[in-house]
Amino acid sequence: MRISTIQAFNTSVRGIQDNYSAAMRTQEQISSGKRLLSPADDPVASVRLLQLDQEASKLSQYKDNLTAATNSLTQQEAVLNSVNNILQRVREIALSAGNGALDAGGRQALAQELAEREDELYGLLNSQNARGEYLFGGFKSDARPFERQADGSYRYQGDEGQRSIQIGSSRMVAINDNGKELFVDVPNASRLEMAASSREGYIAQAGVVDEAALYPGAGFRVTIHREATDPSLPEDAETNPVIDKYSITNADGSPVLDDNGDPVPDYTDADGNPLRLALEPNADGNYDISYAGMTVTLSGDLAADDHFTVGHREKQGVLDTVRQLRQVLENPGEADIDGQRLAVALSFSLQNIDNAIGQVDGVRTSLGARLNVIESTQLENDEATLINTQVQSGLKDLDYAEALSRLSMQSIVLQAAQQSFVKTSNLSLFNFLR
């Protein structure tokens, strides 16, 4: 086979260039510390590295989310601790108010402290985080969740949502608790809402006695009347004396009607007017009145046109409980509070405060559980990040010992190729014709 001079030259030059390129590539790998300089170096490893990069980005986002969740729950826990401390103090005030030796001035002093505690509690329930978001507004974190109404009562304006954040590939954690579930839907000890217009009479007891007869929104008003036993006849101390009577209407004063709009015979006459029924005392000298599964006991000196309104209320907000307790202590003269009436008010208040404390403690337990989940997830996330980094390093980082040995070998091969080219380039028939 004949080999031309140009063919020999081209073959030698190509060999030198290939060896030079291999040596230069190894030098680039050594200077960068990377084994893969382009996807062509290892297509399979390159695809795997892309997947690992995506996973690393997710892990980084999860880490940020874990930090945000920890901060949010830690702040909420601190707020709830303060709320619990306030409620414990309110409970102590309620117990102190039950001291029979305490006079009206002493109650006023306790009411003043209650007013301060009420304002402090109101502020805590409208707490915000560092981003200006309200902690207890549910999804509506941009508006104050609790507002004080003109009559001093409180209204919850948030929603019942609970914001969550992803802290793992298949794990979410709630980062807040809505104020309705936490501070508004507190079980009401009496299950009723009561109001009285009387200065002398009061509601000594109240409760639900017939669940079957109770219906949502049930409420009624008792009005006291003083008239002759038989109103159609003239009054007479012996034959037709004046006695106490009562009538029952709806809470708004309208007559009691059935679902068809017809008068209920037990409470309303045929003309739609409330029936006036005899007010009979019980064994204790008080008066028991029942309606729609609810029973109230009236006590004290009842007067004509006294009104007692009772409504069904299974839940009562903690702010309203503190407000009502404060009002009871603020107005002893107006309400003519005696030992029994005060005992009734304090009894319901203490039970409602205990219910609120239990509600807060339940959420604090939940917060602790969520923080434990975050802590364990953080450890898992750190381990996954470490493994991801190690796998990426194994795929793309350079083995310097192997690379330096390879460069040394490539340098020797390059020198040999250069020297052989010098020798073969001088092989020519003209050298033998001289």
Side-chain angles (χ1 to χ4, degrees):
M1 178 178 178
R2 299 178 60 184
I3 299 177
S4 64
T5 300
I6 189 63
Q7 185 178 3
F9 268 72
N10 288 341
T11 301
S12 298
V13 170
R14 187 163 54 251
I16 292 174
Q17 290 176 337
D18 290 344
N19 289 321
Y20 179 77
S21 296
M24 291 303 297
R25 189 164 192 81
T26 301
Q27 286 183 339
E28 289 180 16
Q29 290 176 329
I30 293 172
S31 61
S32 66
K34 304 297 182 183
R35 183 176 71 88
L36 303 180
L37 300 177
S38 67
D41 294 340
D42 191 338
V44 175
S46 297
V47 171
R48 180 59 179 151
L49 281 172
L50 287 175
Q51 295 172 341
L52 291 171
D53 282 339
Q54 294 174 353
E55 182 66 21
S57 297
K58 291 182 180 179
L59 291 172
S60 177
Q61 183 61 57
Y62 295 153
K63 182 177 181 180
D64 293 340
N65 291 351
L66 285 164
T67 300
T70 300
N71 293 339
S72 179
L73 294 180
T74 301
Q75 182 177 1
Q76 183 175 330
E77 185 178 35
V79 171
L80 291 183
N81 285 340
S82 298
V83 169
N84 187 70
N85 291 337
I86 292 175
L87 293 179
Q88 292 290 351
R89 178 54 188 158
V90 170
R91 191 179 192 281
E92 292 174 3
I93 292 174
L95 290 173
S96 299
N99 186 346
L102 199 66
D103 59 10
R107 293 190 190 120
Q108 285 284 354
L110 293 177
Q112 290 176 2
E113 182 178 353
L114 271 179
E116 296 297 328
R117 296 295 182 177
E118 182 181 343
D119 289 340
E120 185 180 1
L121 185 61
Y122 177 58
L124 286 173
L125 269 54
N126 284 320
S127 296
Q128 296 173 273
N129 60 22
R131 298 186 298 275
E133 299 171 338
Y134 289 94
L135 296 180
F136 304 111
F139 292 136
K140 297 174 65 176
S141 58
D142 57 344
R144 291 167 65 93
F146 290 90
E147 288 290 346
R148 183 179 283 150
Q149 305 300 298
D151 62 355
S153 63
Y154 296 90
R155 180 182 179 185
Y156 178 70
Q157 300 190 132
D159 57 32
E160 300 182 45
Q162 187 177 45
R163 288 178 292 149
S164 298
I165 193 170
Q166 187 169 5
I167 58 173
S169 58
S170 59
R171 183 173 295 174
M172 305 282 289
V173 66
I175 60 173
N176 79 324
D177 293 273
N178 69 77
K180 185 176 187 302
E181 179 181 346
L182 183 51
F183 303 116
V184 177
D185 289 344
V186 180
N188 185 14
S190 68
R191 302 176 63 189
L192 302 176
E193 182 177 27
M194 297 163 286
S197 67
S198 173
R199 296 175 60 87
E200 305 293 337
Y202 60 93
I203 298 175
Q205 291 182 346
V208 176
V209 295
D210 187 353
E211 296 287 347
L214 187 67
Y215 58 90
F220 66 100
R221 176 188 292 178
V222 177
T223 302
I224 304 301
H225 309 277
R226 294 185 65 85
E227 63 181 20
T229 305
D230 186 350
S232 64
L233 300 176
E235 295 180 6
D236 185 275
E238 295 182 359
T239 61
N240 195 25
V242 174
I243 63 172
D244 289 333
K245 294 185 178 182
Y246 72 95
S247 63
I248 290 180
T249 60
N250 291 319
D252 59 2
S254 60
V256 178
L257 306 176
D258 60 21
D259 294 338
N260 297 322
D262 298 323
V264 177
D266 290 340
Y267 308 108
T268 310
D269 63 22
D271 296 328
N273 299 313
L275 289 176
R276 296 187 176 187
L277 310 173
L279 194 60
E280 301 290 344
N282 59 22
D284 298 325
N286 299 321
Y287 305 94
D288 295 327
I289 298 174
S290 299
Y291 174 79
M294 297 172 284
T295 294
V296 295
T297 299
L298 304 182
S299 187
D301 295 328
L302 304 182
D305 298 325
D306 281 352
H307 297 290
F308 302 90
T309 304
V310 180
H312 176 215
R313 188 175 185 180
E314 292 284 347
K315 309 290 185 180
Q316 178 166 291
V318 61
L319 283 170
D320 284 325
T321 294
V322 177
R323 172 183 62 85
Q324 291 172 3
L325 176 59
R326 170 179 56 79
Q327 290 175 340
V328 166
L329 298 180
E330 280 179 340
N331 306 305
E334 179 181 352
D336 192 23
I337 296 178
D338 60 15
Q340 184 179 2
R341 169 178 270 180
L342 180 61
V344 171
L346 293 179
S347 175
F348 286 141
S349 295
L350 281 170
Q351 292 179 66
N352 286 341
I353 291 169
D354 286 341
N355 290 339
I357 292 174
Q359 198 106 325
V360 171
D361 286 343
V363 174
R364 290 170 67 194
T365 300
S366 173
L367 287 177
R370 278 177 266 172
L371 287 170
N372 287 338
V373 169
I374 289 174
E375 183 178 358
S376 62
T377 304
Q378 181 68 64
L379 294 175
E380 295 173 7
N381 188 77
D382 291 343
E383 292 178 0
T385 300
L386 178 60
I387 293 173
N388 182 287
T389 302
Q390 291 174 341
V391 173
Q392 286 197 55
S393 176
L395 291 174
K396 66 181 181 181
D397 289 347
L398 183 67
D399 182 346
Y400 279 96
E402 184 274 333
L404 290 171
S405 298
R406 177 159 37 91
L407 178 61
S408 177
M409 176 62 70
Q410 289 171 340
S411 298
I412 293 173
V413 172
L414 178 59
Q415 291 175 3
Q418 291 172 336
Q419 291 174 1
S420 64
F421 173 73
V422 171
K423 291 183 179 181
T424 56
S425 64
N426 292 325
L427 297 178
S428 172
L429 291 176
F430 293 103
N431 292 334
F432 294 98
L433 297 177
R434 293 177 181 173

